[in-house]
Amino acid sequence: MLEYENKTVQEVVACTCDRCQKRMTPDDHDSGWHERVSLSLWGGFGSIFGDGNKVSLDLCPQCLRDTLGAWLRITPPEPDGLAYQERLRSEWDGREADRPRPPRGPAGSDDA
Ligand SMILES: [Zn+2]
């Protein structure tokens, strides 16, 4: 026979983008809730973020694309999805010329 006890569980009901402050909720399907990104990590010994520091971030889909879009690996459902990813990378290259660039094409085909 199994025995049970009641527990209190916390559930995320809203998320605010750290970049643009957009509030996203699961009930508002246009808010970006289902494509939001949240990350959280603890800096280890010698971490570039500081030993033991907590690093966290919440981004809406628009800010995810605008900040990290050039490095996102987007698997297209259709052939023109590749063109979309290349356009994202081109936009990034034009805006942030002094920033690191994502790899292009398969290994060994560097166009440098
Ligand atoms: Zn945002």
Side-chain angles (χ1 to χ4, degrees), residues 43-91:
F45 180 74
S47 169
I48 62 172
F49 302 111
D51 292 357
N53 286 345
K54 184 175 184 181
V55 179
S56 55
L57 175 72
D58 299 303
L59 289 177
C60 72
Q62 290 79 16
C63 289
L64 173 65
R65 183 196 60 198
D66 291 348
T67 58
L68 300 175
W71 287 274
L72 293 174
R73 289 184 297 276
I74 300 171
T75 303
E78 304 166 14
D80 67 345
L82 290 173
Y84 174 74
Q85 186 166 5
E86 185 56 35
R87 184 171 58 76
L88 281 179
R89 288 182 170 180
S90 297
E91 290 175 4

Side-chain angles (χ1 to χ4, degrees), residues 4-79:
Y4 297 89
E5 67 180 14
N6 291 328
K7 289 188 172 185
T8 301
V9 177
Q10 290 194 319
E11 179 181 17
V12 178
V13 295
C15 178
T16 300
C17 177
D18 288 317
R19 184 170 182 248
C20 75
Q21 308 307 308
K22 179 179 184 178
R23 188 170 188 271
M24 299 165 279
T25 62
D27 297 334
D28 181 355
H29 296 288
D30 295 329
S31 70
W33 173 263
H34 298 288
E35 294 181 335
R36 77 191 190 287
V37 169
S38 296
L39 68 83
S40 180
L41 61 97
W42 293 93
F45 180 74
S47 169
I48 62 172
F49 302 111
D51 292 357
N53 286 345
K54 184 175 184 181
V55 179
S56 55
L57 175 72
D58 299 303
L59 289 177
C60 72
Q62 290 79 16
C63 289
L64 173 65
R65 183 196 60 198
D66 291 348
T67 58
L68 300 175
W71 287 274
L72 293 174
R73 289 184 297 276
I74 300 171
T75 303
E78 304 166 14

